[in-house]
């Protein structure tokens, strides 16, 4: 979809800043940092029950996302059930432009470096962002690294990125065609 391409290209998309799991009934797989959903108190793991009072438990993700998108500044009401306490919560979110960075990096407890690469789409400068994270980890004397490629659609830089971490991978893959 156009909204997904805008997110992958770093242009952002107007919505609430959640990623839904591809199951029915769906749940919030991820909440964008600083996005409308996080501000309203939505958490990863919340089951999405209704949007603007309409039951969405039988709908697919695209149909639900269509209901969540709208004009920047407009409001949408969602009802979620939080598994931790099995309580329903009705939250009002104000739609906004949400930009999800293609690369996120942090040092986890125990000195583990964590790099999440969401997309390899051209124009996102993924290699530069990964190199910056790696330099930070080296300077911090990080003991081990995790490179998270879950739900990454692949793309232009994947071989070059792999070659930074596994000697010979890019060369062997290119030779095999």
């Amino acid at each position: 979809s156009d909204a997904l391409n805008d997110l992958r290209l770093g242009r952002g998309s107007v919505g609430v800043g959640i990623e839904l799991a591809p199951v029915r009934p769906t749940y919030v797989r991820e909440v964008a940092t600083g996005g409308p959903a996080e501000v309203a108190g939505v958490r990863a793991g919340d089951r999405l029950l209704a949007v603007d009072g309409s039951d969405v438990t039988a709908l697919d993700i695209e149909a639900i996302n269509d209901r969540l998108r709208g004009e920047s500044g407009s409001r949408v009401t969602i009802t979620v059930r939080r598994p931790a306490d099995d309580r329903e919560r009705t939250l009002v979110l104000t739609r906004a432009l949400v930009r999800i960075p293609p690369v996120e990096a942090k040092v986890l407890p125990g000195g583990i470096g964590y790099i999440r690469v969401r997309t390899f789409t051209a124009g996102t400068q993924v290699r530069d962002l990964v190199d910056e994270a790696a330099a930070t980890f080296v300077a911090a004397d990080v003991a081990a690294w995790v490179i998270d490629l879950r739900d990454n659609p692949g793309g232009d830089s994947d071989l070059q990125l792999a070659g930074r971490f596994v000697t010979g991978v890019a060369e062997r893959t290119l030779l095999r065609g």
Side-chain angles (χ1 to χ4, degrees), residues 154-177:
D156 298 334
S157 311
D158 47 354
L159 291 177
Q160 294 146 346
L161 182 64
R164 284 171 159 62
F165 300 101
V166 182
T167 306
V169 167
E171 294 84 3
R172 285 195 306 270
T173 304
L174 288 172
L175 289 175
R176 281 191 223 140

Side-chain angles (χ1 to χ4, degrees), residues 41 43-47 80-89:
R43 295 185 189 162
D46 285 353
R47 292 260 172 215
V80 298
R81 180 183 309 277
R82 186 150 303 147
D85 59 16
D86 202 35
R87 281 189 34 225
E88 283 189 18
R89 291 167 170 78

Side-chain angles (χ1 to χ4, degrees), residues 106-114 133-134 136-146:
K106 60 186 169 187
V107 178
L108 301 173
I112 307 294
Y114 173 83
T136 301
F137 292 169
V138 169
D141 201 25
V142 168
W145 300 9
V146 173

Side-chain angles (χ1 to χ4, degrees), residues 88-154:
E88 283 189 18
R89 291 167 170 78
T90 299
L91 306 166
V92 178
L93 292 71
T94 302
R95 294 175 179 106
L97 179 63
V98 178
R99 285 193 174 100
I100 299 173
V103 176
E104 289 182 72
K106 60 186 169 187
V107 178
L108 301 173
I112 307 294
Y114 173 83
I115 301 174
R116 169 94 187 261
V117 181
R118 284 193 168 82
T119 183
F120 291 118
T121 304
T124 61
Q125 302 170 340
V126 170
R127 286 172 300 181
D128 293 343
L129 294 168
V130 169
D131 287 348
E132 287 174 25
T136 301
F137 292 169
V138 169
D141 201 25
V142 168
W145 300 9
V146 173
I147 302 180
D148 184 350
L149 302 174
R150 288 175 296 168
D151 300 318
N152 184 312

Side-chain angles (χ1 to χ4, degrees), residues 18 25-26 47-59 64 67-68 76-81 88-91 93:
I18 60 174
T26 193
R47 292 260 172 215
L48 186 59
L49 305 176
V51 175
D52 285 332
S54 296
D55 182 343
V56 295
T57 57
L59 299 181
I64 296 170
R67 292 172 186 232
L68 294 172
V76 62
T77 302
I78 66 169
T79 303
V80 298
R81 180 183 309 277
E88 283 189 18
R89 291 167 170 78
T90 299
L91 306 166
L93 292 71

